Structure formats: C-alpha cells, structure tokens
C-alpha cells in the first residue's frame, strides 16, 4: 500500500514536472521545496527521539522506517502539494510563481489553504500510517499548512536572492 502510494506519487510528480514545468525558475523552486522538506523531516525525526514535548508523537511514524525513506516521503509529498499550488496560481495569474509583494501574499495564502487541505486529506485517507497519535495531539490542517508555508517562504526568498544577484551581476561585466 505504501509502496503503491509512493510509486503513484513519483509518477504524478514526474508527469507534471516534465509536462508543465519547463519555465526557468519552476524546477529550482520545486528542488528547493523538496530539499527543505527532506531536511526538515530529518530534523523532526531526530527531535522525535528526544524529550521534546509533543514532537515525540511523531516517533511511531519514524520508528519503522529509515531516516532516508521518511525524508523521501516528505519530499515527494511537498513537491506534489507545491505543484498543485503552482497550477492553481497559474489558473488565476497565468504564471506559476509570484512576481511582486501583493502576488506573494496571495500565493502564501493559497499555499496555507492548500497545505491545510492536504494535511486533512493525508489524515482522513490515512496515507501515512502510524501518525494517529500525532493527529490526535495536534489535529490535522494547521501544522500541514504552516509547514508548506515555511518551505515555500524560504524557497521564494532564495529564488528572490538568486534573481537579485543575477540581475546585479550581469551589469558588472
């Protein structure tokens, strides 16, 4: 069941990445979000093994899988959610990433909403078994929405810094 879910997630991700995202900043944006998800999951995995309050509720989930496997699941999940966000933003604005402050605020609101919905669906559909204690303690939605926002904010900022550096550096030479 988990293997089938993972394979279908990878398949859906690859189709979307190859078919839709041939624009300049979309692949780096997805890679950044995936990398942030990967390392954030490792960080949560480590914290769950210590007396860190309610974070211990994640331990049953992490206990039966390798650190890499759990982080890979988080990466795939975040990339799929970010692809959905990018597509919805494209429907309204004709582009997959925001280009000004107002669009960025709207993008982050959309990100939170989609992250919230995705977290509720992950819980209701029991996509990641052994997270019951976590969801009973924290509930579903809020932390999923905040986690996606965290990843997207950092990724947008890194893309912004890159664009600013590139824009300035091309006039130096």
């Amino acid at each position: 069941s988990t293997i089938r879910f993972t394979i279908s997630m990878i398949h859906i991700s690859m189709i979307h990445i190859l078919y839709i995202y041939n624009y300049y900043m979309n692949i780096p944006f997805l890679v950044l979000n995936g990398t942030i998800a990967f390392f954030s999951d490792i960080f949560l995995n480590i914290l769950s093994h210590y007396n860190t309050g309610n974070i211990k509720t994640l331990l049953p989930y992490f206990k039966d899988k390798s650190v890499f496997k759990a982080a890979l699941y988080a990466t795939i999940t975040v990339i799929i959610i970010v692809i959905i966000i990018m597509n919805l933003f494209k429907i309204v604005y004709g582009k997959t990433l925001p280009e000004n402050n107002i669009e960025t605020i709207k993008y982050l609101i959309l990100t939170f909403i989609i992250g919230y919905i995705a977290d509720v669906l992950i819980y209701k559909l029991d996509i990641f078994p052994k997270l019951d204690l976590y969801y009973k303690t924290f509930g579903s939605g809020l932390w999923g929405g905040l986690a996606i926002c965290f990843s997207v904010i950092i990724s947008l900022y890194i893309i912004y810094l890159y664009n600013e550096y590139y824009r300035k550096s091309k006039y130096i030479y």
Side-chain angles (χ1 to χ4, degrees), residues 123-157:
Y123 170 62
K124 296 285 186 191
L125 299 174
D126 199 26
I127 291 173
F128 294 116
K130 300 191 179 182
L131 280 176
D132 289 338
L133 180 59
Y134 165 80
Y135 282 118
K136 286 178 185 167
T137 305
F138 288 104
S140 63
L142 176 65
W143 291 104
L146 291 175
I148 296 294
C149 277
F150 172 77
S151 179
V152 167
I153 287 168
I154 292 173
S155 298
L156 284 173
Y157 186 67

Side-chain angles (χ1 to χ4, degrees), residues 33-49 55 58-59 61-63 65-78 128 131 134 147 150-151:
N33 276 284
T35 303
I36 291 164
F38 187 86
F39 288 108
S40 295
D41 196 76
I42 291 172
F43 182 69
L44 287 172
N45 193 334
I46 292 167
L47 282 180
S48 72
H49 288 82
I55 300 291
L58 291 170
L59 189 58
Y61 171 74
F62 289 125
K63 202 171 191 178
K65 58 184 68 62
S66 71
V67 173
F68 178 80
K69 185 177 181 180
L72 182 62
Y73 288 165
T75 301
I76 293 166
T77 302
V78 166
F128 294 116
L131 280 176
Y134 165 80
F150 172 77
S151 179

Side-chain angles (χ1 to χ4, degrees), residues 46-169:
I46 292 167
L47 282 180
S48 72
H49 288 82
Y50 294 98
N51 191 11
T52 51
N54 289 333
I55 300 291
K56 292 184 298 190
T57 60
L58 291 170
L59 189 58
Y61 171 74
F62 289 125
K63 202 171 191 178
D64 67 338
K65 58 184 68 62
S66 71
V67 173
F68 178 80
K69 185 177 181 180
L72 182 62
Y73 288 165
T75 301
I76 293 166
T77 302
V78 166
I79 287 174
I80 288 171
I81 294 168
V82 171
I83 286 171
I84 292 168
I85 293 162
M86 292 170 81
N87 277 314
L88 290 173
F89 193 77
K90 186 175 182 178
I91 289 169
V92 176
Y93 291 97
K95 53 191 165 190
T96 55
L97 294 173
E99 295 177 359
N100 59 50
N101 290 341
I102 299 297
E103 288 177 2
T104 301
I105 291 167
K106 292 176 182 178
Y107 198 85
L108 293 176
I109 292 168
L110 176 65
T111 297
F112 178 79
I113 292 168
I114 298 303
Y116 188 100
I117 292 168
D119 196 42
V120 170
L121 288 173
I122 287 168
Y123 170 62
K124 296 285 186 191
L125 299 174
D126 199 26
I127 291 173
F128 294 116
K130 300 191 179 182
L131 280 176
D132 289 338
L133 180 59
Y134 165 80
Y135 282 118
K136 286 178 185 167
T137 305
F138 288 104
S140 63
L142 176 65
W143 291 104
L146 291 175
I148 296 294
C149 277
F150 172 77
S151 179
V152 167
I153 287 168
I154 292 173
S155 298
L156 284 173
Y157 186 67
I158 291 170
I159 294 289
Y160 168 78
L161 289 177
Y162 173 80
N163 286 336
E164 284 299 302
Y165 172 76
Y166 178 74
R167 187 169 53 92
K168 288 177 184 174
S169 67

